[in-house]
Amino acid sequence: HLLLFLLFVWPFNCFASYSRATELFYSLNEGLPAGVLIGSLARDLRLPTAGGQHPASLQPPLSFTLASHGLGGQYVQLDNRSGELLTSAVEIDREALCVESSGATIFGGSAAVSSSSTSPESCLLLLDVLVLPQEYFRLVKVKIAIRDVNDNAPRFPVPHIRLSVPENAPVNTRLAIEHPALDPDMGTNGVQTYRLRDNYGVFTLDVEENENGERTPYLIVMGALDRETQDEYVTVIVAEDGGTPPLVGSATLTIGISDINDNCPQFNDSQLNVTLYGNSSLGTPVATVQAVDMDLGSNAQITYSYSQKVPQLSRDLFHLNESTGAITLSTKVDGDTPRLHRLIILGNGPGCIPAVITVLVTIIKVMMRPPEVVPRFIANEVEGVVYLKELEPINTPIAFFTIKDPDEKYKVSCYLDGDGPFRLSPYKPYNNEYLLETTKPLDFETQQLYEISVVAWNSEGFHVKKVVKVQVLDDNDNSPVFSEQLIELSIEENNVPNAFLTKLHATDADSGERGQVSYFLGPDAPSYFALDKTTGVLTVSTQLDREEKEKYRYTVKAVDSGFPPRESIATVTITVLDKNDNSPRFINKDFSFFVPENFPGFGEIGVISVTDADAGQNGWVALSVLNGSDIFVIDTGKGVLRAKVSLDREQQSSYVLWIEAVDGGDPALSSTAKITILLLDINDNPPLVLFPQSNMSYLLVLPSTLPGSPITEVYAVDKDTGMNAVIAYSIIGRRGPRPESFRIDPKTGNITLEESLMQNDYGLYRLLVKVSDHGYPEPLHSTVMVNLFVNDTVSNESYIESLLRKEPDISVEEKQPQISIEPTHKKMESSSCMPTLVALSIISLGSIALVTGMGIYICLRKEKKHHRADENLEVQIPLNGRINLHMLEKKPMEISNI
């Protein structure tokens, strides 16, 4: 195909080149998020769109579809309408998709991933896209090159690399490091350089690159090495890639200096002078020579030999051990034996010039034979060493010694030389027989080896010494001893599982297995504590909760490996320290308090109880009011809730507060509780008469009114509740031609005509009505004047008003009103439920209308107050037997519970 490349820059550095026929090329970085635009197929193929030269109605809609959804299809999203190719939610990881291989992998006719063999850095995502409809049909081959980003740090295959360098390695010696760092990134994003954090002044690194581009680090020796001075160098090798910013990886590099035979044996002295008695027995040690070689292993092996200058007579008289350098007497000294021997001894090392030392042996002639000391051991003896168990009883026999003079000319005596619990005493009844025995029990832990000598001398003063070594054998006579009998520990609660507590330590003075100590928990230890048998490490396998249990106390045992085993016990106490992990907790989530209204300010409303399971400062709790703090206050220490002011139920019948409890921890924890305060009503409001609205109002009553007919009503409300709001109505004063003609219903306040009105009953009737509640302990009341004018018409209003202004002479009846225990409502009788519901609905609507009218009326009255200050308005008439119609107006309170 003829490829025409269109150069342009897309967001995130995407570019495209395309062919009119079937092929498009794009590239983008790996790791891009979803929704990044890769390219627009419609634009790059120069296909007509709705915004072209032809009307949109004449252009069939284009459709772009992936030919199949293969491996590569999951990484892209293709808009079927616009042809925009976007990255999908599946992130592209170049290292996971395109592993470098020798050939390309392409799946024909589907989405695939290709890794080109010609360029190890190329990674292609191959897509087949179908363009429809038929007018624009074509199969588009889309190739997306995935560019590498530096998202992988170099990593060594092993954490610890060891390299060996001979100590005689010359300067500029190069040693390949067999485990170079690996980096999945390509090109400059791969490993570029290596360095050492500490080169000790004798090492450096170099990097060599082979034909495949692989970089191998080499260690270069830059200075002289000496194993005897320093046998090992430990440093860190760091690999760094070429990304921006560069990423690094590291591993520990240990450079061991191997030994070469660059040191020879040396004697500390050049000559030894030794004296030997002529009567010495065979095998008597003469001297020991020892040379030193600073090398290691086979390079430091030393053998000893006589020089060729040593005469054969001396060689036969003195035996030289080739391995140890010990010289012993090998033949008897007689009168012909020379008195001076010059022994030249060579210290031989591999590949070395021998070291030389001279031993001068002078033999002293002895004229008499020394006393003889002949031991016969009772205790176990091996090569002159006697083995005794500790705690053996007193007077344990060790050996018999026979002391005699070989010439039988001189008297021989003996004694014991050396320190220790031993004695040498004559063994009766035999002469020259002595018994060596103990004087007290031996203790291995005090002293393990004793060296004593049995000394014999004759009357001529000649001494002979027999050395006896006593090795004390250990017995399991010591119990393990803890460094502390009481082990006091502490740990914060909410610890991580398997938290370290302490490492127990107990010692046993015995040796070997008898002194090996194992650790065990006592039977009283909880199951979630663990004690390592060997190391004594004490751990706790679960989280501890101080609020559940604050202190633990149990025993631990230390047991040795003797037979029978011995043990000791220590006590472990663990204090769990508090953390602020508990919020303050109220005893109730909701508190309710009932308080009488008019409760005095700062009086105690109630106590808010709150607890905190934490201790100390973490358990200290402060209380505060989140809302309503201008009215209420709480005592932080005691939790007492108080009101700053007296509370009035008629203004607000209840309060809902939120109380916050905050502890003293850092950070602090808190909790809240809901407080409901309900005000109990007291009888502090007298009934408020709403109708009639004035003592000066009147009502025309026609003479033709039938008995039992309702005339008017007195309507009052009480802001209190309960029995304090139950109202009773009564007429306590009457004036008129026949005042008993009218009565009032004590429950509803309805005034009805009792008797038919006659000609003589015409005129003004004035009824003084008392409105009383049923409050406790003292009921409150109000009074109102009901004026009824019996006549056919009202022809002269001014005359009636003049009568009303006159103070009526009404005697007050002291009769108590009829008690009603039900709230004031209009009495309704009905024979069925439906009429009752209809009547209640009408009354409710009427009440709403009445309240609305009263509100409007009160507002209008307030506006006219300054213009009609001289007019008598609604009054309350005290029950004093006389009526005062000129009382000042009382300002009505707001009605909220009609």
Side-chain angles (χ1 to χ4, degrees), residues 495-754:
N495 54 283
V496 296
N498 300 317
F500 173 83
L501 293 175
T502 189
K503 184 176 182 179
L504 303 181
H505 180 68
T507 57
D508 193 316
D510 295 323
S511 63
E513 291 184 354
R514 292 172 291 273
Q516 292 180 359
V517 180
S518 299
Y519 302 91
F520 301 93
L521 290 172
D524 54 345
S527 60
Y528 40 83
F529 288 96
L531 179 59
D532 189 280
K533 175 182 177 180
T534 304
T535 63
V537 173
L538 181 63
T539 58
V540 56
S541 62
T542 186
Q543 282 191 347
L544 299 180
D545 187 356
R546 188 204 66 83
E547 290 72 37
E548 181 179 335
K549 189 171 183 180
E550 184 175 4
K551 288 188 177 294
Y552 295 85
R553 184 183 181 93
Y554 53 86
T555 57
V556 292
K557 293 192 301 183
V559 182
D560 64 23
S561 301
F563 183 80
R566 303 174 68 98
E567 66 180 40
S568 61
I569 296 177
T571 301
V572 176
T573 63
I574 301 175
T575 301
V576 183
L577 304 178
D578 185 51
K579 290 182 71 174
N580 192 29
D581 59 342
N582 289 278
S583 301
R585 185 174 183 180
F586 292 92
I587 61 171
N588 295 314
K589 291 187 178 180
D590 293 330
F591 291 84
S592 296
F593 297 107
F594 295 88
V595 181
E597 65 174 331
N598 301 331
F599 194 70
F602 292 96
E604 182 177 323
I605 294 175
V607 177
I608 311 301
S609 297
V610 62
T611 60
D612 194 313
D614 294 322
Q617 186 72 14
N618 294 332
W620 180 85
V621 180
L623 297 174
S624 61
V625 181
L626 296 180
N627 62 324
S629 59
D630 54 339
I631 300 177
F632 297 94
V633 66
I634 191 167
D635 188 330
T636 295
K638 298 180 180 180
V640 177
L641 181 64
R642 306 176 189 273
K644 299 178 183 179
V645 297
S646 179
L647 304 178
D648 187 357
R649 191 203 63 79
E650 285 72 38
Q651 291 185 2
Q652 188 168 340
S653 61
S654 64
Y655 296 86
V656 176
L657 304 179
W658 289 96
I659 303 298
E660 182 182 39
V662 181
D663 62 24
D666 184 19
L669 301 177
S670 63
S671 61
T672 57
K674 179 181 178 182
I675 311 298
T676 302
I677 301 173
L678 301 174
L679 298 183
L680 300 177
D681 184 50
I682 63 173
N683 194 27
D684 59 345
N685 291 281
L688 177 63
V689 179
L690 300 179
F691 187 83
Q693 300 178 2
S694 172
N695 289 332
M696 301 300 293
S697 62
Y698 64 92
L699 180 66
L700 176 64
V701 180
L702 298 177
S704 59
T705 303
L706 297 176
S709 300
I711 303 301
T712 185
E713 70 173 346
V714 176
Y715 183 76
V717 294
D718 195 315
K719 293 184 179 180
D720 296 322
T721 60
M723 294 302 295
N724 295 332
V726 176
I727 298 175
Y729 301 89
S730 61
I731 298 175
I732 61 173
R734 304 168 185 263
R735 183 185 177 94
R738 192 152 56 95
E740 65 275 3
S741 300
F742 300 95
R743 69 175 294 273
I744 189 168
D745 188 303
K747 293 183 180 180
T748 64
N750 290 336
I751 298 176
T752 59
L753 180 64
E754 288 293 299

Side-chain angles (χ1 to χ4, degrees), residues 272-349:
L272 289 178
N273 297 319
V274 180
T275 301
L276 180 68
Y277 289 104
N279 61 350
S280 298
S281 59
L282 297 179
T284 299
V286 177
T288 300
V289 295
Q290 187 174 11
V292 178
D293 192 323
M294 298 299 293
D295 292 325
L296 291 176
S298 61
N299 293 331
Q301 288 184 351
I302 302 174
T303 59
Y304 301 93
S305 62
Y306 284 124
S307 171
Q308 294 181 354
K309 298 180 181 180
V310 178
Q312 187 63 41
L313 178 62
S314 298
R315 293 170 182 260
D316 296 337
L317 183 62
F318 301 103
H319 175 262
L320 174 63
N321 189 305
E322 294 183 356
S323 300
T324 63
I327 304 172
T328 57
L329 184 64
S330 60
T331 59
K332 277 284 188 176
V333 177
D334 56 24
D336 297 331
T337 302
R339 297 293 177 255
L340 181 63
H341 296 267
R342 186 181 185 89
L343 307 178
I344 301 174
I345 299 174
L346 304 179
N348 305 294

Side-chain angles (χ1 to χ4, degrees), residues 414-560:
C414 72
Y415 66 91
L416 187 65
D417 184 26
D419 296 329
F422 309 100
R423 69 180 171 209
L424 183 68
S425 57
Y427 190 74
K428 302 297 183 179
Y430 303 104
N431 294 327
N432 297 331
E433 294 288 343
Y434 293 86
L435 176 64
L436 179 64
E437 59 185 353
T438 61
T439 59
K440 62 180 181 180
L442 303 178
D443 187 3
F444 175 86
E445 289 72 38
T446 302
Q447 187 170 345
Q448 293 86 39
L449 180 66
Y450 295 89
E451 186 171 322
I452 55 179
S453 300
V454 176
V455 181
W457 81 97
N458 60 17
S459 57
E460 296 298 321
F462 197 89
H463 292 72
V464 174
K465 181 184 295 186
K466 183 63 176 180
V467 177
V468 178
K469 293 181 180 180
V470 178
Q471 176 68 54
V472 181
L473 300 179
D474 188 28
D475 200 357
N476 193 31
D477 60 336
N478 291 278
S479 298
V481 178
F482 280 100
S483 57
E484 295 176 290
Q485 286 299 314
L486 179 61
I487 304 165
E488 297 179 325
L489 308 173
S490 63
I491 184 174
E492 280 194 344
E493 62 176 331
N494 303 331
N495 54 283
V496 296
N498 300 317
F500 173 83
L501 293 175
T502 189
K503 184 176 182 179
L504 303 181
H505 180 68
T507 57
D508 193 316
D510 295 323
S511 63
E513 291 184 354
R514 292 172 291 273
Q516 292 180 359
V517 180
S518 299
Y519 302 91
F520 301 93
L521 290 172
D524 54 345
S527 60
Y528 40 83
F529 288 96
L531 179 59
D532 189 280
K533 175 182 177 180
T534 304
T535 63
V537 173
L538 181 63
T539 58
V540 56
S541 62
T542 186
Q543 282 191 347
L544 299 180
D545 187 356
R546 188 204 66 83
E547 290 72 37
E548 181 179 335
K549 189 171 183 180
E550 184 175 4
K551 288 188 177 294
Y552 295 85
R553 184 183 181 93
Y554 53 86
T555 57
V556 292
K557 293 192 301 183
V559 182
D560 64 23

Side-chain angles (χ1 to χ4, degrees), residues 5 152 278-279 306 347 353 374 387 448 492 596 754 777 811 815 851:
F5 291 90
N152 292 280
N279 61 350
Y306 284 124
I353 298 175
V374 180
Y387 294 91
Q448 293 86 39
E492 280 194 344
E754 288 293 299
S811 59
K815 182 176 68 173
V851 171

